[in-house]
Amino acid sequence: MKFSVIFEAQLADPTVEREHQLFHDSVEQAVLAEEMGFDRIWAVEHHSLKWYAHMSAPEIFLTWVAARTSTIRIGHGVVCMPFNFNHPARVAERAATLDLLSGGRLDLGAGRGGTVQETSLCGVDKERTAQEVEEALRIIGKAWEGDEFEYHGELIDIDPHPILPRPRQTPHPPLFLACSRTETLAQAAELGVGALVMGFAGPESIAEMRAAYDTAVAARRGDRFVSRAVNDHFSVLCPTIVLDDGETARSVGIRGQRFFAQSIGHWYGGAGIPDEAVVEGTDEAAEMRKAAEQVVARLHEQNIPVRPTSTATFNAEHAYGTADDAIAYVERLRDAGADEIMCLIQMGTVPQEACLETLRQWGEKVIPYFRSQEADEANATDGAGVA
């Protein structure tokens, strides 16, 4: 099982000075993640989503991190793939350059960037985003198969051109797709790309999503693969704050997640602006329940169906607490089928000290626990083979 850290660059009270500090803090976290034994970092591309995601140019952030590190993989995921955000040929060029500079450490994920706020900034046709994402993956998956690349699809035509430079990894960096529904999980499986899954609903939901992904993998014929390099990898989001004081960690984590949930609700569902205040001594679990009830009430008022995905981000049962609490939760995610645990630590109200301490706790206690288990299982298998 792999362990990674994901960055949205969230920010409460987003003054210019705080925003500037945020990026340096995130780099510091990424560098520490390598020291602590994490396998990968991810940076997510979004546009104009104040509070929720200030990471509008993740390729710049990731290049800075790559220059400060040497072993951790660099996850450019997700790139907003609709053509008016990023022309597929430009994505391929930037990805190859970053792969070269990082020594072949790049992973590349695709997403839609489908909020009205984002699509209206760049003139993206919301009705075409899913099609354009798939076509972009198809182009990137085939861009370096020859000296010149030519593509004629339903939505875009590219006459013969060399796509330069070529990536370090052959045939290209591993490809992924952001997945939040059964339909996108099936799409990822059929395209032969890894799934990046939001895990807020908890391990039971993750198990159902893994089953849907595996079913689609088993049923596919291979005619929709975007590349000859198939990547059946299932990565799961894991919100986490881990401190010696478990109660403090739980309070800090749930507060950060409430900011995350309210921010995403603002841009994706028209809710009010997120609550930015951090009040010491607040019962954060109660505040989270209250915030979820407000979302449900608003949806009822607007006659919008209240689906599990509408309130999943308000589920507070995650890897918050001590290292033992985190280990117990990760065991449930592993048993649900996670190939990778994507730690969500950098949430808008979480102070830098808590982010850094969480990374240390994972590196010193959580990750070694699972690495030791894997080593014991490998030794047992080797011993059985010798016998």
Side-chain angles (χ1 to χ4, degrees), residues 5 7 21-38 68 240-244 252 344-347 350-365:
V5 184
F7 293 92
Q21 187 62 45
L22 166 67
F23 278 87
H24 290 283
D25 287 349
S26 296
V27 170
E28 184 181 13
Q29 291 173 40
V31 171
L32 181 60
E34 177 177 86
E35 295 174 14
M36 291 294 105
F38 283 85
R68 296 278 306 276
T240 180
I241 296 295
V242 175
L243 307 171
D244 287 333
V252 170
L344 177 64
I345 300 169
Q346 194 281 308
M347 296 174 281
V350 178
Q352 177 72 347
E353 315 86 73
C355 291
L356 296 176
E357 182 58 25
T358 296
L359 289 164
R360 291 189 192 96
Q361 293 268 353
W362 275 74
E364 294 171 359
K365 300 175 183 177

Coordinates of all heavy atoms in Angstrom, one line a residue, residues 5 7 21-38 68 240-244 252 344-347 350-365:
V5 N 0.3 12.5 0.2 CA -0.3 13.7 0.8 C -0.8 14.6 -0.4 O -0.2 14.7 -1.4 CB 0.8 14.6 1.5 CG1 0.2 15.8 2.2 CG2 1.5 13.7 2.5
F7 N -2.6 18.2 -1.8 CA -2.7 19.7 -1.5 C -3.7 20.3 -2.4 O -3.7 20.2 -3.6 CB -1.3 20.3 -1.8 CG -0.2 19.9 -0.9 CD1 0.6 18.8 -1.2 CD2 0.0 20.6 0.3 CE1 1.6 18.4 -0.3 CE2 1.0 20.2 1.2 CZ 1.8 19.1 0.9
Q21 N 2.3 33.0 2.3 CA 2.8 32.1 3.3 C 2.3 30.7 3.0 O 3.1 29.7 3.2 CB 2.5 32.5 4.7 CG 3.1 31.7 5.8 CD 4.6 31.8 5.8 OE1 5.2 32.9 5.6 NE2 5.3 30.7 5.9
L22 N 1.1 30.6 2.6 CA 0.5 29.2 2.4 C 1.3 28.4 1.4 O 1.5 27.2 1.7 CB -0.9 29.4 1.8 CG -1.6 28.2 1.2 CD1 -1.9 27.2 2.2 CD2 -2.9 28.6 0.5
F23 N 1.8 29.0 0.4 CA 2.6 28.2 -0.6 C 3.9 27.7 0.0 O 4.4 26.6 -0.3 CB 2.7 29.0 -1.9 CG 1.5 28.9 -2.8 CD1 0.5 29.8 -2.6 CD2 1.4 27.9 -3.7 CE1 -0.7 29.6 -3.4 CE2 0.3 27.7 -4.5 CZ -0.8 28.6 -4.4
H24 N 4.6 28.6 0.7 CA 5.8 28.2 1.3 C 5.6 27.1 2.4 O 6.4 26.2 2.5 CB 6.5 29.4 1.9 CG 7.1 30.3 0.9 ND1 8.2 30.1 0.1 CD2 6.6 31.5 0.4 CE1 8.4 31.0 -0.7 NE2 7.5 31.9 -0.6
D25 N 4.5 27.2 3.1 CA 4.1 26.2 4.1 C 3.9 24.9 3.4 O 4.3 23.8 3.9 CB 2.9 26.6 4.9 CG 3.1 27.8 5.9 OD1 4.3 28.1 6.1 OD2 2.2 28.3 6.4
S26 N 3.2 24.9 2.3 CA 2.9 23.7 1.6 C 4.1 23.0 1.1 O 4.3 21.8 1.1 CB 1.9 24.0 0.4 OG 0.7 24.4 0.9
V27 N 5.1 23.8 0.6 CA 6.4 23.2 0.1 C 7.1 22.6 1.3 O 7.6 21.5 1.2 CB 7.2 24.3 -0.5 CG1 8.7 23.8 -0.7 CG2 6.6 24.8 -1.8
E28 N 7.1 23.3 2.5 CA 7.7 22.7 3.7 C 7.1 21.4 4.0 O 7.8 20.4 4.4 CB 7.6 23.7 4.8 CG 8.3 23.2 6.1 CD 8.2 24.2 7.3 OE1 7.3 25.1 7.2 OE2 8.9 24.0 8.3
Q29 N 5.7 21.3 3.9 CA 5.1 20.0 4.2 C 5.5 18.9 3.2 O 5.7 17.8 3.6 CB 3.5 20.2 4.2 CG 3.0 21.1 5.3 CD 1.5 21.4 5.1 OE1 0.7 20.5 4.6 NE2 1.1 22.6 5.4
A30 N 5.6 19.3 1.9 CA 5.9 18.3 0.9 C 7.3 17.8 1.1 O 7.6 16.6 1.0 CB 5.8 18.9 -0.5
V31 N 8.2 18.6 1.5 CA 9.6 18.2 1.7 C 9.7 17.3 2.9 O 10.4 16.3 2.9 CB 10.5 19.4 1.9 CG1 11.9 19.0 2.4 CG2 10.6 20.2 0.6
L32 N 9.0 17.6 4.0 CA 8.9 16.8 5.2 C 8.3 15.4 4.9 O 8.7 14.4 5.4 CB 8.2 17.5 6.3 CG 8.1 16.7 7.6 CD1 9.5 16.4 8.2 CD2 7.2 17.5 8.6
A33 N 7.3 15.4 4.0 CA 6.6 14.2 3.6 C 7.6 13.2 3.0 O 7.6 12.0 3.3 CB 5.5 14.5 2.6
E34 N 8.5 13.7 2.2 CA 9.6 12.8 1.7 C 10.4 12.3 2.8 O 10.7 11.0 2.9 CB 10.5 13.5 0.7 CG 11.6 12.6 0.2 CD 12.4 13.3 -0.9 OE1 13.4 14.0 -0.5 OE2 12.1 13.1 -2.1
E35 N 10.9 13.1 3.7 CA 11.7 12.7 4.9 C 11.0 11.7 5.7 O 11.6 10.8 6.3 CB 12.1 13.9 5.7 CG 12.9 14.9 5.0 CD 13.2 16.2 5.9 OE1 12.9 16.1 7.1 OE2 13.6 17.2 5.3
M36 N 9.7 11.7 5.8 CA 8.9 10.9 6.6 C 8.5 9.6 5.9 O 7.7 8.8 6.5 CB 7.7 11.6 7.2 CG 8.0 12.7 8.2 SD 8.7 12.0 9.7 CE 10.4 12.5 9.5
G37 N 8.9 9.4 4.7 CA 8.7 8.1 4.1 C 7.4 8.0 3.2 O 7.0 6.9 2.8
F38 N 6.7 9.1 3.0 CA 5.6 9.1 2.1 C 6.1 8.8 0.6 O 7.2 9.1 0.2 CB 4.8 10.4 2.1 CG 4.0 10.6 3.3 CD1 4.5 11.1 4.5 CD2 2.6 10.3 3.3 CE1 3.7 11.3 5.6 CE2 1.8 10.5 4.4 CZ 2.4 11.0 5.6
R68 N 13.3 20.4 -4.6 CA 13.7 20.3 -3.2 C 13.7 18.9 -2.7 O 14.0 18.6 -1.5 CB 12.7 21.1 -2.3 CG 12.7 22.6 -2.6 CD 13.8 23.3 -1.9 NE 13.7 23.0 -0.4 CZ 13.0 23.6 0.5 NH1 12.1 24.6 0.1 NH2 13.0 23.3 1.7
T240 N -7.0 13.6 7.8 CA -6.2 13.2 9.0 C -5.5 14.3 9.7 O -5.0 15.2 9.0 CB -5.2 12.1 8.7 OG1 -4.5 11.7 9.9 CG2 -4.2 12.6 7.6
I241 N -5.6 14.4 11.0 CA -4.7 15.1 11.9 C -4.4 14.2 13.0 O -5.2 13.6 13.6 CB -5.4 16.4 12.4 CG1 -5.8 17.4 11.3 CG2 -4.5 17.1 13.4 CD1 -4.5 18.0 10.5
V242 N -3.1 14.0 13.2 CA -2.6 13.1 14.3 C -1.6 13.9 15.2 O -0.6 14.4 14.7 CB -1.9 11.9 13.7 CG1 -1.3 11.0 14.8 CG2 -2.9 11.1 12.8
L243 N -2.0 13.9 16.5 CA -1.1 14.5 17.5 C -1.0 13.6 18.7 O -1.8 12.6 18.8 CB -1.7 15.9 17.9 CG -2.1 16.9 16.8 CD1 -2.9 18.0 17.4 CD2 -0.8 17.4 16.1
D244 N -0.1 13.9 19.6 CA -0.1 13.1 20.9 C -1.3 13.2 21.7 O -1.8 12.3 22.3 CB 1.1 13.6 21.7 CG 2.5 13.2 21.2 OD1 2.5 12.1 20.5 OD2 3.5 13.9 21.4
V252 N -9.0 19.8 16.0 CA -8.4 20.5 14.9 C -8.8 19.9 13.5 O -9.1 20.7 12.5 CB -6.9 20.5 15.0 CG1 -6.1 21.1 13.8 CG2 -6.5 21.3 16.3
L344 N -5.2 13.9 3.5 CA -5.7 15.3 3.4 C -5.4 16.0 4.7 O -6.1 15.7 5.7 CB -7.2 15.4 3.1 CG -7.7 16.8 3.0 CD1 -7.1 17.7 1.9 CD2 -9.3 16.8 2.8
I345 N -4.3 16.7 4.8 CA -3.9 17.4 6.0 C -4.0 18.9 6.0 O -4.5 19.5 6.9 CB -2.4 17.0 6.3 CG1 -2.2 15.5 6.4 CG2 -1.9 17.7 7.5 CD1 -0.8 15.0 6.4
Q346 N -3.7 19.4 4.8 CA -3.7 20.9 4.6 C -5.1 21.4 4.3 O -5.5 21.5 3.2 CB -2.7 21.3 3.5 CG -2.4 22.8 3.4 CD -3.5 23.6 2.8 OE1 -4.0 23.3 1.7 NE2 -3.9 24.7 3.5
M347 N -5.9 21.6 5.4 CA -7.2 22.1 5.3 C -7.2 23.6 5.9 O -6.3 23.9 6.7 CB -8.2 21.3 6.1 CG -8.3 19.8 5.5 SD -9.4 18.7 6.4 CE -8.2 18.2 7.7
V350 N -6.4 24.6 9.6 CA -5.4 23.8 10.3 C -4.1 24.6 10.3 O -3.5 24.9 9.3 CB -5.2 22.4 9.7 CG1 -4.1 21.6 10.4 CG2 -6.5 21.6 9.7
P351 N -3.5 24.8 11.5 CA -2.2 25.6 11.6 C -1.1 24.7 11.1 O -1.1 23.5 11.1 CB -2.1 25.9 13.1 CG -2.9 24.9 13.8 CD -4.1 24.5 12.9
Q352 N 0.0 25.4 10.6 CA 1.1 24.7 10.1 C 1.8 23.7 11.1 O 2.2 22.7 10.7 CB 2.2 25.8 9.6 CG 3.5 25.2 9.1 CD 3.3 24.6 7.7 OE1 2.2 24.3 7.2 NE2 4.5 24.3 7.1
E353 N 1.8 24.1 12.3 CA 2.4 23.2 13.3 C 1.7 21.9 13.4 O 2.3 20.8 13.5 CB 2.4 23.8 14.7 CG 2.9 25.3 14.8 CD 1.7 26.2 14.5 OE1 0.8 26.4 15.4 OE2 1.7 26.8 13.4
A354 N 0.4 21.9 13.3 CA -0.4 20.7 13.3 C -0.2 19.8 12.1 O -0.1 18.6 12.1 CB -1.9 21.0 13.5
C355 N -0.1 20.5 10.9 CA 0.2 19.8 9.6 C 1.6 19.1 9.7 O 1.7 17.9 9.4 CB 0.2 20.8 8.5 SG -1.4 21.5 8.0
L356 N 2.6 19.8 10.2 CA 3.9 19.2 10.3 C 4.0 18.1 11.3 O 4.6 17.0 11.0 CB 4.9 20.3 10.6 CG 5.1 21.4 9.6 CD1 6.1 22.5 10.1 CD2 5.6 20.9 8.3
E357 N 3.3 18.3 12.4 CA 3.3 17.2 13.4 C 2.6 16.0 12.9 O 3.0 14.8 13.2 CB 2.7 17.7 14.7 CG 2.7 16.7 15.9 CD 4.1 16.2 16.2 OE1 5.1 16.9 16.0 OE2 4.2 15.1 16.8
T358 N 1.5 16.2 12.2 CA 0.8 15.0 11.6 C 1.7 14.3 10.7 O 1.7 13.0 10.7 CB -0.5 15.6 10.9 OG1 -1.4 16.2 11.8 CG2 -1.2 14.4 10.2
L359 N 2.4 15.0 9.8 CA 3.3 14.3 8.9 C 4.4 13.5 9.7 O 4.7 12.3 9.3 CB 4.0 15.3 8.0 CG 3.1 15.9 6.9 CD1 3.8 17.2 6.4 CD2 2.8 14.9 5.8
R360 N 4.9 14.0 10.8 CA 5.9 13.3 11.6 C 5.3 12.1 12.2 O 5.9 11.0 12.3 CB 6.4 14.3 12.7 CG 7.3 15.4 12.2 CD 7.9 16.1 13.3 NE 8.5 17.4 12.9 CZ 7.9 18.6 13.0 NH1 6.7 18.7 13.6 NH2 8.5 19.7 12.5
Q361 N 4.1 12.2 12.8 CA 3.4 11.1 13.4 C 3.2 9.9 12.4 O 3.4 8.8 12.7 CB 2.1 11.5 14.1 CG 2.3 12.5 15.2 CD 2.3 11.8 16.6 OE1 2.1 10.6 16.7 NE2 2.6 12.6 17.6
W362 N 2.7 10.3 11.2 CA 2.5 9.3 10.2 C 3.9 8.6 9.8 O 4.0 7.4 9.7 CB 1.9 9.9 8.9 CG 0.4 10.0 9.0 CD1 -0.4 10.8 9.8 CD2 -0.5 9.1 8.3 NE1 -1.7 10.5 9.6 CE2 -1.8 9.5 8.7 CE3 -0.4 8.1 7.4 CZ2 -3.0 8.9 8.2 CZ3 -1.5 7.5 6.9 CH2 -2.8 7.9 7.3
G363 N 4.9 9.5 9.7 CA 6.2 8.9 9.3 C 6.9 8.1 10.3 O 7.6 7.1 10.0
E364 N 6.7 8.4 11.6 CA 7.3 7.7 12.7 C 6.5 6.5 13.2 O 7.1 5.6 13.7 CB 7.6 8.7 13.8 CG 8.7 9.8 13.4 CD 8.8 10.8 14.5 OE1 8.1 10.8 15.5 OE2 9.6 11.8 14.3
K365 N 5.2 6.6 13.0 CA 4.4 5.5 13.7 C 3.4 4.8 12.7 O 3.3 3.6 12.7 CB 3.6 6.2 14.8 CG 4.4 6.8 15.9 CD 3.6 7.5 16.9 CE 4.5 8.2 18.0 NZ 3.7 8.9 19.0

